[in-house]
Amino acid sequence: MTQTLGNLQQAILLAGTGRSGTTWLGKLLDSSPDLLYKHEPDHQRNFPWFQGLDSRIAPEEDDPEVVARYSRAWEESFWHYSSFLHKRPDFPKNFFRSGTWGLLTRSSRVYQKVSRGKTPILRIPRWMFRGDPSSVPLVVKSVVSNLRLAWIHRHFPNVKTVLIMRHPGGYLHSMIEAHEKHDWPKYGTMERLEHTVLPMPRPELERYE
């Protein structure tokens, strides 16, 4: 069973583990005036449409409801914006009307004040687009979906996937540096690796303990 992601004609998934360079490459792609970039919309703290979707969906999982929900989550992440979750594009976009991002950002901040601190997620109005929104490529940067790439490839073959594999030495150095700066909890424990980095089943993990 395969399908497209809602009305999106072009979708690119930029995947990799945390500290692997996904943000760096994502911002390079964001510099293009012809695509819309979203930073980790599938993270649990971000857009609500992805919440409750297992990051380790098995490749053989054919539940039509799960497939349809994942498709809708991608499309909704395209259509919604929050100045508190995602910065507006650092570069001009050809598909948006001039000055509209500033208006949307200000509206988002007013909404937060009126709602007394609630994180606002606003739908991007259709009139902000100069042309057909479905023709705009959506690039999603994710450090979660790397654990469900096989499932995505099976059910959404139209999604182009870029998987970043960083040299282990550089990855570990970046993790240690981040831990020293941010004091990440449970750093270096198997529990953290099992739930956030390694997509292997438990019996396979035991070979590395």
Side-chain angles (χ1 to χ4, degrees):
M1 183 178 74
T2 62
Q3 67 177 64
T4 58
L5 298 174
N7 294 322
L8 304 177
Q9 295 180 4
Q10 303 177 69
I12 301 172
L13 174 61
L14 176 58
T17 62
R19 320 303 294 183
S20 65
T22 52
T23 299
W24 176 77
L25 180 55
K27 295 311 293 182
L28 285 180
L29 294 176
D30 192 24
S31 67
S32 168
D34 297 315
L35 60 80
L36 182 62
Y37 169 77
K38 286 299 180 75
H39 181 88
E40 301 181 10
D42 55 352
H43 197 286
Q44 292 297 311
R45 70 174 182 269
N46 291 349
F47 290 109
W49 302 277
F50 284 97
Q51 293 178 7
L53 284 171
D54 188 3
S55 65
R56 296 169 178 269
I57 301 177
E60 64 274 8
E61 178 60 70
D62 289 321
D63 188 343
E65 182 177 348
V66 175
V67 176
R69 186 179 172 197
Y70 192 77
S71 173
R72 177 175 179 269
W74 269 68
E75 184 173 15
E76 295 301 329
S77 72
F78 176 93
W79 276 107
H80 289 78
Y81 167 75
S82 172
S83 61
F84 300 90
L85 298 177
H86 301 86
K87 295 181 179 179
R88 65 176 183 157
D90 295 323
F91 305 89
K93 299 296 180 180
N94 291 335
F95 47 84
F96 282 130
R97 299 185 187 278
S98 178
T100 52
W101 267 115
L103 177 61
L104 191 65
T105 298
R106 288 192 292 272
S107 300
S108 179
R109 296 189 182 282
V110 169
Y111 180 92
Q112 187 190 42
K113 291 183 179 180
V114 172
S115 60
R116 298 181 179 180
K118 182 179 179 181
T119 301
I121 300 177
L122 305 180
R123 182 176 175 84
I124 300 174
R126 172 65 180 81
W127 54 262
M128 282 184 58
F129 292 87
R130 296 182 186 274
D132 181 9
S134 66
S135 65
V136 178
L138 172 65
V139 176
V140 168
K141 178 263 190 184
S142 173
V143 294
V144 175
S145 287
N146 58 313
L147 304 182
R148 51 189 172 205
L149 291 181
W151 184 86
I152 293 173
H153 177 70
R154 176 174 178 177
H155 294 286
F156 303 97
N158 64 308
V159 176
K160 297 180 180 179
T161 303
V162 177
L163 177 62
I164 295 182
M165 303 292 289
R166 187 177 184 181
H167 187 281
Y171 170 75
L172 289 175
H173 173 76
S174 183
M175 288 286 287
I176 293 172
E177 184 179 55
H179 173 62
E180 293 175 346
K181 291 182 178 179
H182 307 294
D183 192 26
W184 286 356
K186 299 181 179 179
Y187 169 77
T189 65
M190 181 55 63
E191 180 182 0
R192 176 182 171 86
L193 291 174
E194 185 176 9
H195 289 284
T196 63
V197 177
L198 301 177
M200 295 179 288
R202 184 65 193 178
E204 187 70 13
L205 281 172
E206 291 175 354
R207 296 172 52 191
Y208 297 92
E209 291 184 335

